[in-house]
Amino acid sequence: MSLEAETREDPFDPKAERLDDVVLPAVVLIFALGKPVSLRFNLPPGGLRIGRSEECEVHLADSLLSRVHAVVRFAEGRWIVRDNASRNGTYLDGVRIEGETSTDAARSALRLGDAVLLLETRSARFNRGMVGLEATEQGGFIAGPHMHLARGSIEHAARSGQSVLIVGETGTGKEHMARFFHSALGGRGPFVTVNCATIAQSLAEAMLFGAKKGSYSGATRDFPGHIVSADGGVLFLDELGELDLKVQAKLLRVLENCTVHALGAVEPQKVDVRFCAATHVNLAAAVEQKDFRADLFMRFSQAIVRLPPLRDRPEEIPYLLAHGLASRGDAQPRLNSWFVDACVRHAWPGNVRDLFNALNAARSAAERDGSRARDPGAWLLHPGDLPHLQAGAVVWPPTSHATSGAPPAKGAPPVLTESPVPLTNEQKEQILLDVYQKTGSASAAAKAARCSRQHVYNMLERRGIKLPKDRS
């Protein structure tokens, strides 16, 4: 596997944000042989071959792959994938294909053997850099193309003396980026975090700016305030949009004059603080609605860093999964392409935090399954243990469909495909029950779970379900 050297994009170039709109089809290998990887492959005129053969452009020493397992092409705005009658199948966006199929999706996930690849119609963002794990003072940091751009913007703001506003959904890593801002300043002074959403409005002024003893009821001693506590360092204001308008006005004076006036104090105090703020709301819209001061927004809008949601940076997911497992330190179940593929194709509304919660749930399920624990080599994370698959009653592995790429007809019974990842007895029984309830046929249920009809009858009897008269 090789990746041609790419010219790095200047993250401060005004054209940088438009890279994501450039049509530049490429295939990105993100997981192979049990480990996260990050390699981009341009498409040869005859198509990109994937398999065990050294003649393939994507050559993987994977026993689950055929010699030339599949070929990927891009033509007239569509991805075309051909499965070469492989032994273990090729899955496009979770569905097994037979022969050749196509899709006009801007991004698709391709699983074959123990590998997961992304079909990226707009791959120019990878010019910023591929994905990797970087060491930081707070531990490892997963940096992909989007994060390379964000960190470059923060470094520029740190050098230019600007305050920073980090915008992104919950769980995208805003506090981590704020800590990177502190590191970009040489790590000087303290790093103080304040969650503006958790401060009661009646106490917000005292908590931020400080208060002298006796300045209000309950002020039994002097309190320096968070701004003074951050003197010489960085104050991180999380959920900035939740601040009361009165407090916003006083914060603006601190930004303009570099002085803070505590409640009950006679004179203001000089401070040297760099400000970093974060929000998941649209502050520009809040300004229009008079819920946020326009002048304060102007101060922070000099350097706005946008963190995209995890669903827009799926290339980071295998690294995040591996990092989440490694952080536990003890023996861990192994990642596999089935689990990674299921994670890559999920939207993760809670972003990285949501992913880690699901990973912990799947790991706990793997630990509870004694059959897996008895064989360390088979101790794998199963996609069926992911909470979002359980909630959606998804039958795993996914169903097969015809050469056209069309999904199976509504109501058609699912068919289990060959997989080196074994199903648990509980998963098999759930599949049996689902298929029997949909079809009323014990034969169809037995075929779906690759077991005997007698096994189906025994399961139905255990659950108190009336047996079919003809036992078909």
Side-chain angles (χ1 to χ4, degrees):
M1 297 179 294
S2 63
L3 181 68
E4 296 179 3
E6 303 286 355
T7 302
R8 278 290 187 93
E9 166 201 11
D10 180 358
F12 312 117
D13 189 319
K15 298 179 182 178
E17 289 285 358
R18 294 200 293 270
L19 258 188
D20 293 345
D21 299 327
V22 176
V23 175
L24 184 64
V27 175
V28 182
L29 180 65
I30 62 172
F31 183 83
L33 302 173
K35 296 180 180 180
V37 292
S38 185
L39 290 170
R40 184 175 72 176
F41 296 88
N42 296 323
L43 298 172
L48 187 78
R49 296 169 296 177
I50 307 167
R52 284 188 295 108
S53 171
E54 293 183 0
E55 297 176 358
C56 294
E57 286 76 21
V58 183
H59 163 231
L60 297 169
D62 184 350
S63 62
L64 299 176
L65 292 178
S66 301
R67 290 190 74 257
V68 181
H69 195 104
V71 180
V72 179
R73 295 181 291 119
F74 186 84
E76 299 180 353
R78 297 184 68 85
W79 287 99
I80 303 165
V81 181
R82 185 178 79 245
D83 177 79
N84 283 347
S86 64
R87 184 176 70 248
N88 291 312
T90 301
Y91 296 78
L92 181 64
D93 291 329
V95 180
R96 183 168 184 168
I97 66 174
E98 297 174 8
E100 188 173 279
T101 189
S102 67
T103 177
D104 60 359
R107 175 187 296 127
S108 285
L110 187 68
R111 174 172 67 80
L112 57 172
D114 197 26
V116 179
L117 306 96
L118 297 177
L119 310 185
E120 291 280 355
T121 302
R122 298 174 176 85
S123 70
R125 72 180 186 279
F126 290 98
N127 287 0
R128 300 169 187 147
M130 303 303 289
V131 186
L133 177 63
E134 300 180 5
T136 67
E137 293 180 0
Q138 293 77 40
F141 176 77
I142 308 301
H146 289 296
M147 289 305 184
H148 286 308
L149 181 63
R151 293 177 73 174
S153 299
I154 285 178
E155 287 176 336
H156 179 68
R159 291 194 303 267
S160 62
Q162 297 171 325
S163 298
V164 175
L165 177 62
I166 304 171
V167 179
E169 296 178 5
T170 298
T172 50
K174 295 188 290 293
E175 182 173 349
H176 191 103
M177 279 297 173
R179 292 185 180 278
F180 180 74
F181 177 64
H182 183 228
S183 298
L185 292 167
R188 66 178 183 86
F191 178 85
V192 178
T193 299
V194 179
N195 189 328
C196 302
T198 63
I199 302 177
Q201 287 190 7
S202 59
L203 296 176
E205 193 171 356
M207 295 293 288
L208 281 175
F209 309 105
K212 293 295 185 181
K213 180 180 178 181
S215 59
Y216 64 92
S217 177
T220 58
R221 59 183 178 84
D222 288 351
F223 179 70
H226 294 307
I227 295 176
V228 171
S229 296
D231 191 20
V234 172
L235 180 65
F236 174 48
L237 297 171
D238 198 8
E239 302 300 346
L240 178 66
E242 302 298 324
L243 275 183
D244 181 72
L245 286 170
K246 179 182 177 183
V247 178
Q248 290 178 30
K250 196 165 183 178
L251 176 62
L252 179 65
R253 287 196 294 273
V254 176
L255 287 164
E256 290 176 340
N257 304 324
C258 298
T259 59
V260 58
H261 202 146
L263 292 176
V266 178
E267 297 290 336
Q269 179 180 345
K270 195 78 173 175
V271 290
D272 176 20
V273 178
R274 295 292 298 273
F275 287 86
C276 181
T279 182
H280 71 279
V281 300
N282 187 336
L283 288 186
V287 170
E288 292 292 329
Q289 297 166 4
K290 310 298 183 184
D291 292 329
F292 198 83
R293 292 182 62 98
D295 44 10
L296 183 60
F297 177 64
M298 289 177 62
R299 290 298 301 245
F300 277 104
S301 64
Q302 294 173 0
I304 297 180
V305 177
R306 304 184 189 279
L307 299 185
L310 188 57
R311 60 183 172 272
D312 289 343
R313 40 190 175 109
E315 62 274 4
E316 297 179 14
I317 288 178
Y319 281 89
L320 289 166
L321 292 172
H323 182 60
L325 288 175
S327 65
R328 294 287 294 267
D330 50 353
Q332 300 296 329
R334 292 189 292 112
L335 285 175
N336 57 82
S337 63
W338 290 262
F339 188 85
V340 171
D341 181 47
C343 290
V344 165
R345 292 185 289 107
H346 187 54
W348 300 115
N351 294 290
V352 178
R353 190 177 300 129
D354 194 6
L355 175 71
F356 283 158
N357 288 340
L359 176 63
N360 289 334
R363 186 192 185 283
S364 296
E367 288 179 331
R368 290 194 301 269
D369 191 327
S371 62
R372 298 177 205 171
R374 283 194 297 271
D375 181 3
W379 194 26
L380 304 172
L381 289 167
H382 282 239
D385 292 330
L386 287 167
H388 69 269
L389 290 186
Q390 293 173 348
V394 175
V395 176
W396 174 86
T399 55
S400 175
H401 66 74
T403 305
S404 66
K410 187 175 181 180
V415 179
L416 287 180
T417 54
E418 292 294 330
S419 167
V421 181
L423 294 174
T424 64
N425 290 333
E426 183 180 349
Q427 288 171 324
K428 280 187 178 181
E429 286 211 352
Q430 186 60 51
I431 291 171
L432 286 172
L433 187 61
D434 288 346
V435 175
Y436 180 74
Q437 289 177 338
K438 288 178 182 178
T439 65
S441 169
S443 295
K447 182 179 179 181
R450 300 197 300 273
C451 66
S452 67
R453 280 188 295 172
Q454 187 59 48
H455 184 82
V456 178
Y457 300 145
N458 293 341
M459 183 273 293
L460 294 176
E461 285 182 332
R462 284 198 307 273
R463 292 177 178 250
I465 299 173
K466 188 176 180 180
L467 298 177
K469 292 181 180 180
D470 59 354
R471 292 203 168 196
S472 63

